[in-house]
Amino acid sequence: MTASQIPEPSASERSGRPGAGKVLLAYFSRAGENYHFGGRRRLEVGNTEVLAGMIRDRIGCEVYRIEAADPYSDDYEETVARNVREQNTDARPKIARALPDLDGYPTVLPASPIWNVRAPMIMTTFAEGLDFTGRTVLPVTTYAMSGLGTTERDYTASCRGATIGEGLAVQGEKVSASGGDLDGWLRRNDLT
C-alpha cells in the first residue's frame, strides 16, 4: 500500500467476495502531521485510508479516493486553519478528478476524518455532485473526539434521495485495532 492510494482489487480479486459490485467506498484521508492522544504524530498513511483499506479487504467493494484539487497541507495547524475557513464560508473545495458513476452501487460508504465536529467540506462537494436517489448511504468516520460528528445530518441534506443508515465511527488513534467493531458494523448492515 502506498501513501497516496490504496490499491484497488482487480476484477478477479473482487469476484466471489461479499459486496462485490454492490458497494462504493468513497474516502478522503490526509497523511502528514495528525492529532494523536492530545499531541501530534506524523502518519505516512492517513487514518481514514487505513480504515478504507480494512473495509475494502473485508467486502471487496469498489474504491474511489477523494483528492483535493488544492491539496491540504501536511502541517496539522495549517490544515486546521484551512478547515475552519472552509467551514465558516461554507466552501466547496474542488475535487481533483471526475466523480464516480453511482450506477450499479445501491450502497455508498462516504468515509472521512471528522474535523471540528463535521466531515471536511470536500465531502459536501462530493455528496452534492451526485444523485443518490434510491441508494443507502452509510457514513464512515475516523475521529479524535467527535465520533460521527454531524455527518448523518449533513449527508441527509447533501446526498439527495438517499436513505442514511447506521454510520461507523472509529477513533483515529485506534484504527488498526478496530477490526472487531468494523466486522460487527459490516454484519449489522448486511455487507458481509
Side-chain angles (χ1 to χ4, degrees):
M1 180 175 1
T2 69
S4 63
Q5 184 168 7
I6 352 180
E8 297 183 31
S10 67
S12 62
E13 289 175 309
R14 287 190 307 270
S15 64
R17 284 186 173 173
K22 305 188 318 185
V23 177
L24 177 67
L25 169 62
Y27 79 95
F28 170 77
S29 190
R30 186 188 146 278
E33 186 181 34
N34 269 254
Y35 182 90
H36 184 75
F37 293 119
R40 304 290 180 267
R41 178 174 79 173
R42 180 158 288 288
L43 301 177
E44 292 299 316
V45 178
N47 293 321
T48 305
E49 184 170 348
V50 171
L51 183 57
M54 293 168 67
I55 293 169
R56 193 266 338 266
D57 290 347
R58 282 166 165 78
I59 66 172
C61 59
E62 294 291 328
V63 176
Y64 172 83
R65 181 181 173 111
I66 299 167
E67 297 179 83
D70 176 16
Y72 289 84
S73 172
D74 283 349
D75 181 84
Y76 179 81
E77 296 302 328
E78 287 176 21
T79 297
V80 168
R82 176 178 171 180
N83 178 65
V84 168
R85 285 191 307 273
E86 289 176 350
Q87 286 184 356
N88 286 345
T89 61
D90 201 27
R92 299 296 184 272
K94 291 185 180 179
I95 295 175
R97 58 193 185 117
L99 293 176
D101 183 348
L102 296 184
D103 285 348
Y105 299 110
T107 303
V108 180
L109 313 177
S112 72
I114 293 295
W115 292 349
N116 194 25
V117 191
R118 66 182 300 185
M121 296 306 293
I122 198 165
M123 296 304 291
T124 304
T125 304
F126 170 80
E128 290 179 349
L130 297 166
D131 182 0
F132 287 85
T133 300
R135 289 170 176 68
T136 299
V137 170
L138 304 172
V140 175
T141 66
T142 56
Y143 69 92
M145 294 177 268
S146 302
L148 285 166
T150 62
T151 56
E152 291 168 325
R153 180 188 71 207
D154 294 342
Y155 290 139
T156 296
S158 61
C159 294
R160 294 181 315 276
T163 299
I164 308 300
E166 176 191 355
L168 172 68
V170 176
Q171 188 173 5
E173 297 91 336
K174 298 179 181 178
V175 165
S176 61
S178 67
D181 291 337
L182 172 58
D183 291 338
W185 178 77
L186 292 170
R187 277 191 304 276
R188 286 191 305 280
N189 286 285
D190 296 323
L191 297 175
T192 57

